[in-house]
Amino acid sequence: MILNHLMGLYTHPKEEWHTIEQNHEAVKSSLSHILLIALIPAVCTYFASTTIGWELGVAEPLLLTETSAIMMSVCMYFGLITGVFALAYLAYWMAKTFDAKPSYTQALELAAYTATPLFMVGFSALYPSLWFMMLIGLAGLSYSVYLLYTGVPIIMNIPEEKGFIYASSVVTAGLVLLVALMASSIILWSFGLGPIYQ
């Protein structure tokens, strides 16, 4: 069932990771979760960019044209999904180093549920202030990292000592992926796919 672990990850994460580990779902369930949750930041930023306007603190709120906003939201949506799959692949690939033998489905579950708080940060775009978004984004990132550190030993079936180092490696890989997504955005902007303001 889509989103069936969402509340548990916020209220009792360790127990919920054990539930996820005992009842591995099919890839289509994790995929459905990712496709649905990734809509939150894409839709909210589209709405904020075209209707409310982004407050950067120095001038009038900035609004994007609808065409520009939808193009950027679609790119964001596919970029987020690609990032989750890439993180899952890296977690799966690095598992051999830590004597873990997870399936790709386990790595995808780990990546999907770990990324959920970051995607939920998208709701904060409905109050499009730069400082507010940064604070909420930091909280979402912190909770995602916490979920990763608690989930790796359980989902990947490895001791907690190795799980800490493994999770640290996955966090590092995730940060590299984030920088790569940001760099690709800048490259696309230089080709004329950047924002067009009203």
Side-chain angles (χ1 to χ4, degrees):
M1 184 172 140
I2 300 172
L3 304 178
N4 58 347
H5 299 291
L6 190 60
M7 284 307 297
L9 287 172
Y10 283 103
T11 56
H12 48 276
K14 281 194 175 183
E15 292 85 352
E16 199 62 35
W17 280 124
H18 282 291
T19 303
I20 293 167
E21 168 57 22
Q22 290 164 2
N23 308 316
H24 285 297
E25 299 162 346
V27 172
K28 71 175 185 172
S29 182
S30 295
L31 181 61
S32 301
H33 177 83
I34 296 165
L35 294 176
L36 186 62
I37 292 292
L39 280 173
I40 294 170
V43 170
C44 290
T45 53
Y46 170 79
F47 180 77
S49 298
T50 57
T51 311
I52 304 169
W54 286 90
E55 292 182 26
L56 302 179
V58 291
E60 293 292 315
L62 297 173
L63 291 163
L64 298 180
T65 63
E66 287 193 14
T67 306
S68 177
I70 199 152
M71 183 180 65
M72 294 183 83
S73 293
V74 167
C75 289
M76 175 196 288
Y77 180 70
F78 287 110
L80 292 172
I81 293 168
T82 302
V84 171
F85 276 99
L87 187 64
Y89 177 76
L90 286 171
Y92 176 70
W93 178 73
M94 286 189 291
K96 296 171 193 146
T97 308
F98 296 93
D99 300 325
K101 293 181 175 64
S103 65
Y104 183 74
T105 303
Q106 288 171 280
L108 186 60
E109 285 175 337
L110 180 71
Y113 290 118
T114 297
T116 298
L118 274 177
F119 290 0
M120 301 284 286
V121 166
F123 282 121
S124 65
L126 297 175
Y127 181 72
S129 170
L130 183 62
W131 295 107
F132 179 71
M133 287 285 298
M134 286 176 61
L135 288 172
I136 300 299
L138 183 61
L141 178 64
S142 300
Y143 198 72
S144 284
V145 170
Y146 170 74
L147 283 179
L148 182 67
Y149 276 99
T150 56
V152 160
I154 298 167
I155 296 292
M156 300 300 183
N157 298 311
I158 58 176
E160 280 200 30
E161 312 82 55
K162 284 186 178 182
F164 181 80
I165 298 168
Y166 182 24
S168 298
S169 302
V170 174
V171 167
T172 304
L175 291 174
V176 170
L177 281 172
L178 185 61
V179 170
L181 280 172
M182 292 169 69
S184 62
S185 298
I186 292 169
I187 291 168
L188 288 173
W189 285 18
S190 67
F191 287 121
L193 298 175
I196 301 169
Y197 302 101
Q198 290 184 11

